[in-house]
């Protein structure tokens, strides 16, 4: 009974965390119609830096803040800033559900990148899942039937960069302090976005400033909830819960932005989700042939938030 209660508690944390993430993304969409993505990222990261700094200060791991793999830490930080920029932009110009459909290609990309980076052996079943997921992406994009916009390319770039950053964490995470993996991406985001402020800055109203603050705070809260979920329940149970975000995206899109579900997006998202769930299931099997379980060990699949915490 205690195991069952722990699993239910973990699922509760996960669904709540991904609901907060969806609220975070809806705020970005609302702000993106008024402000530059670079300004939103700058203020959101500043506001999230305070609670994350508390986390860093409570890290009792011995050592300083110098990375043991400086170039890989810098690469991961750049990937996270790129993922965040692209995701924020895609949320501001595309329907929420459409962005999620493309971001859900994340576990498929992790599977592919884990081969050269982690030496993972991917057998026929998971390759088939990746192929099916690619078909789902094509259904969402419908090249030739509809225009593929910069927003679509940005969403796919965000998924790729998030996946790349997550696989790098699997490679170096055991040797780097969590504080290092948290601090450097945030400092890079603040530094890069501050350089753009003279060109893009618009004085925000108090309401919009509060919304930017919520974007930052929501990212920290959601990341923490997801980590609690993985501590309480098996990864194979928690990982598929990320797809609940598309339900919230559909609700928020209809309620606040006048978005109507597109049948092709729904079909494509279903195919992508099915392939992603299959990859998770394959990795979670007791007799799995996956040596690294790269998707299951990604404790936080949202590197695009900026305040991403590594797996614990």
């Amino acid at each position: 009974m205690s195991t069952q209660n722990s699993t239910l508690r973990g699922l509760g944390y996960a669904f709540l965390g991904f609901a907060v993430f969806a609220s975070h993304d809806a705020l970005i969409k609302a702000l993106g119609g008024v402000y530059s993505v670079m300004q939103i990222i700058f203020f959101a990261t500043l506001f999230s830096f305070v609670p994350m700094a508390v986390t860093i200060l409570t890290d009792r791991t011995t050592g300083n803040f110098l990375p043991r793999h400086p170039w890989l830490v810098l690469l991961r930080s750049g990937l996270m800033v790129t993922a965040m920029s692209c995701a924020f932009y895609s949320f501001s110009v595309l329907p929420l559900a459409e962005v999620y459909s493309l971001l859900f290609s994340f576990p498929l990309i992790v599977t592919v990148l884990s081969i050269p980076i982690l030496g993972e052996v991917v057998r026929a079943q998971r390759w088939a899942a990746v192929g099916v997921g690619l078909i789902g992406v094509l259904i969402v994009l419908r090249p030739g039937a509809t225009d593929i916009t910069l927003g679509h390319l940005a969403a796919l770039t965000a998924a790729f960069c998030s996946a790349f950053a997550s696989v790098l964490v699997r490679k170096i995470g055991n040797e780097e302090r969590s504080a290092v993996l948290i601090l450097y991406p945030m400092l890079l985001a603040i530094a890069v976005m501050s350089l753009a402020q003279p060109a893009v800055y618009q004085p925000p109203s108090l309401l919009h400033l509060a919304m930017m603050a919520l974007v930052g705070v929501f990212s920290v809260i959601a990341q923490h909830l997801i980590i609690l979920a993985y501590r309480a329940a098996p990864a194979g149970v928690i990982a598929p819960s990320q797809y609940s975000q598309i339900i919230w995206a559909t609700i928020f899109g209809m309620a606040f932005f006048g978005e109507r579900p597109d049948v092709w997006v729904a079909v494509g998202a279903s195919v992508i989700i099915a392939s992603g769930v299959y990859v998770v299931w394959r990795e979670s099997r007791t007799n799995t042939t996956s040596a690294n379980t790269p998707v299951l060990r990604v404790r936080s699949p949202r590197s695009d938030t900026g305040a991403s915490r590594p797996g614990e």
Side-chain angles (χ1 to χ4, degrees):
M1 184 63 70
S2 59
T3 301
Q4 182 180 6
N5 289 340
S6 180
T7 299
L8 290 175
R9 185 170 68 253
L11 283 171
Y13 285 138
F15 284 120
L16 180 58
F18 286 118
V20 175
F21 267 136
S23 302
H24 162 282
D25 298 334
L27 285 172
I28 293 168
K29 184 171 185 63
L31 290 166
V34 182
Y35 302 97
S36 164
V37 166
M38 291 178 283
Q39 182 172 346
I40 299 170
I41 292 174
F42 178 72
F43 280 101
T45 307
L46 279 180
F47 283 113
S48 65
F49 187 81
V50 175
M52 294 307 290
V54 174
T55 301
I56 292 171
L57 292 174
T58 57
D59 182 3
R60 302 300 181 187
T61 307
T62 58
N64 53 38
F65 292 104
L66 295 177
R68 295 185 178 182
H69 303 276
W71 293 112
L72 291 179
V73 169
L74 181 61
L75 174 60
R76 174 179 175 269
S77 300
L79 288 167
M80 290 181 65
V81 173
T82 303
M84 180 166 50
S85 302
C86 290
F88 278 36
Y89 175 75
S90 59
F91 280 123
S92 67
V93 298
L94 293 177
L96 289 170
E98 196 163 336
V99 177
Y100 277 120
S101 299
L102 298 174
L103 291 180
F104 285 160
S105 62
F106 167 88
L108 309 175
I109 300 172
V110 167
T111 300
V112 175
L113 291 178
S114 66
I115 299 171
I117 298 175
L118 301 178
E120 175 77 351
V121 176
V122 176
R123 304 196 186 280
Q125 292 90 337
R126 280 192 291 163
W127 275 121
V130 171
V132 170
L134 177 60
I135 293 172
V137 170
L138 293 175
I139 293 173
V140 172
L141 295 178
R142 283 168 290 160
T146 59
D147 293 331
I148 298 177
T149 68
L150 187 59
H152 295 104
L153 297 177
L156 289 172
T157 301
F160 175 83
C161 290
S162 292
F164 198 167
S166 297
V167 174
L168 283 179
V169 167
R170 289 283 297 110
K171 185 175 181 65
I172 66 175
N174 292 333
E175 300 177 42
E176 297 286 358
R177 293 181 64 192
S178 293
V180 169
L181 297 174
I182 295 170
L183 181 64
Y184 279 75
M186 298 188 75
L187 291 179
L188 182 63
I190 292 171
V192 171
M193 298 306 159
S194 66
L195 295 176
Q197 294 314 296
V200 303
Y201 179 79
Q202 296 184 55
S205 65
L206 285 178
L207 174 60
H208 288 164
L209 190 62
M211 290 169 67
M212 291 181 193
L214 278 178
V215 171
V217 173
F218 277 3
S219 69
V220 176
I221 293 173
Q223 296 279 359
H224 185 63
L225 286 168
I226 301 306
I227 288 173
L228 288 177
Y230 275 100
R231 287 177 178 171
V237 174
I238 297 301
S241 65
Q242 65 179 297
Y243 299 115
S244 64
Q245 291 173 102
I246 202 163
I247 299 174
W248 290 108
T250 302
I251 294 172
F252 290 156
M254 293 178 66
F256 300 114
F257 304 108
E259 298 171 356
R260 293 292 176 265
D262 183 294
V263 63
W264 289 109
V265 171
V267 172
S270 299
V271 173
I272 296 169
I273 290 171
S275 61
V277 170
Y278 181 79
V279 168
V280 169
W281 175 77
R282 286 288 299 176
E283 288 192 7
S284 64
R285 293 176 62 192
T286 304
N287 61 342
T288 180
T289 56
S290 173
N292 298 287
T293 55
V295 175
L296 284 180
R297 296 199 186 188
V298 175
R299 292 294 182 264
S300 180
R302 292 294 302 265
S303 298
D304 56 277
T305 61
S308 180
R309 296 177 62 180
E312 299 182 359

